[in-house]
Amino acid sequence: MDLGIKGKRALVCASSKGLGRGCAEALAEAGVDLVLNARGAEALERTAAEIRSRFGVAVTAVAGDIVAESDRARVLEAAADVDILVTNAGGPPPGIWSDWDRADFLAAVDANMLTPIALMTDLMPKMAEKGWGRVVNITSQSVKAPIAQLGLSNAARTGLTGYVAGTARQVAPMGVIVNNLLPGAHDTDRIRSLDQGAAEQGQLSEEEVRQRKFLTIPARRYGTAAEFGAMCAFLCSQHAGYIVGQNILLDGGGINATL
Ligand code: NAP
């Protein structure tokens, strides 16, 4: 399918690895020029070079912490006129409810709610002026069904979800389409480190933890960054203009719900 976005420009945040990289690759395959970002410059430059040579699109890499205001300003300077925004950042650490204090909640809200809101606030006015734009926020299945040990994520991402529900309907008349993508378990460094923690706690091997988790997922496996990226590229495509303010769950059927 031709996604109809060849020649557009996208900012994909937190994209040297994992789901962000999956989104960047799928957009590049559709002919979209990219601004990529991550904190570690070396992995970011490597990813940028691989995408340039594989897909022949222009890629600008801006190393920096997307949550830090001064770094984000540099990213936004490079991405001032983008047509497409994919927001993403690292997820908060796991724990239990009694571990977390005000500072932990503020950090989670800053990274997983206020940062995507700041990016949208900055970039959507130009999209609206042009009469065309696409925003995809990478959130989590935890907004549909809480993951107890990720209470910081449950809380912060639900706040973003409420914001998007209203804002998506305010900007849709200007041709700016905003949606959220909710990953269930995907095979990335993030899930590997969570599995490692669970293995140490439960005195199991990491492989045993994975196999046990697979049994809770009807697809019997983790998702891939490429599958995730393909859905992101579709939501950024010309065909997605009637999908407004939705929360699309990619979880292999893991959440047992009718809707
Ligand atoms: P990942 O494999 O660990 O990759 C994270 C990427 O984001 C890396 O490129 C990392 O590079 C970059 N990054 C992290 N924090 C950043 C920051 N503050 N500023 C700029 N770049 C940053 O993680 P992932 O699995 O793709 O997860 C992406 C998001 O989806 C996370 O918020 C995660 O919690 C959420 N999620 C993932 C899953 C899953 O199963 N994978 C499930 C639900 C939700 P640097 O470290 O160099 O910055």
Side-chain angles (χ1 to χ4, degrees):
M1 182 191 292
D2 179 3
L3 296 183
I5 48 177
K6 190 173 163 52
K8 300 268 188 206
R9 263 188 108 220
L11 166 59
V12 187
C13 302
S15 51
S16 65
K17 294 189 295 186
L19 303 180
R21 178 172 177 157
C23 295
E25 288 185 355
L27 288 167
E29 193 173 2
V32 175
D33 294 326
L34 299 171
V35 178
L36 300 185
N37 151 262
R39 290 164 304 183
E42 209 178 297
L44 179 66
E45 289 297 346
R46 213 173 26 246
T47 296
E50 284 169 14
I51 291 179
R52 262 183 225 115
S53 90
R54 195 166 146 211
F55 300 105
V57 295
V59 183
T60 306
V62 187
D65 183 346
I66 200 66
V67 181
E69 226 172 306
S70 57
D71 287 4
R72 187 164 63 241
R74 286 189 300 105
V75 174
L76 284 168
E77 204 182 319
D81 59 347
V82 293
D83 312 284
I84 295 167
L85 164 65
V86 180
T87 76
N88 187 26
I96 62 167
W97 64 272
S98 51
D99 288 344
W100 303 313
D101 60 19
R102 180 176 164 78
D104 296 316
F105 279 103
L106 288 177
V109 165
D110 205 17
N112 298 117
M113 177 183 172
L114 297 179
T115 293
I117 290 174
L119 289 159
M120 284 185 269
T121 304
D122 197 278
L123 294 172
M124 288 197 309
K126 277 233 179 91
M127 296 180 192
E129 249 173 57
K130 289 190 268 185
W132 198 96
R134 297 286 185 265
V135 177
V136 172
N137 298 294
I138 300 179
T139 68
S140 171
Q141 66 178 4
S142 70
V143 301
K144 282 233 181 210
I147 303 170
Q149 71 274 21
L150 291 178
L152 294 170
S153 171
N154 300 338
R157 296 187 198 276
T158 306
L160 174 64
T161 305
Y163 170 85
V164 167
T167 306
R169 289 165 171 87
Q170 287 182 312
V171 297
M174 282 91 92
V176 181
I177 299 298
V178 186
N179 289 290
N180 300 325
L181 261 187
L182 282 53
H186 280 73
D187 198 2
T188 67
D189 285 3
R190 162 86 173 164
I191 204 84
R192 269 170 239 134
S193 88
L194 290 172
D195 285 354
Q196 218 170 15
E200 278 161 24
Q201 251 188 354
Q203 296 184 326
L204 297 165
S205 73
E206 225 180 294
E207 189 49 33
E208 282 170 314
V209 169
R210 280 167 76 88
Q211 292 303 329
R212 284 185 188 197
K213 278 218 211 147
F214 289 173
L215 291 176
T216 69
I217 301 170
R220 296 286 184 265
R221 63 177 177 88
Y222 288 158
T224 68
E227 289 170 316
F228 190 87
M231 178 54 95
C232 176
F234 182 79
L235 288 176
C236 296
S237 77
Q238 296 293 356
H239 311 298
Y242 208 55
I243 307 173
V244 173
Q246 297 301 300
N247 290 282
I248 314 281
L249 179 64
L250 298 181
D251 74 339
I255 291 179
N256 190 31
T258 304
L259 289 175

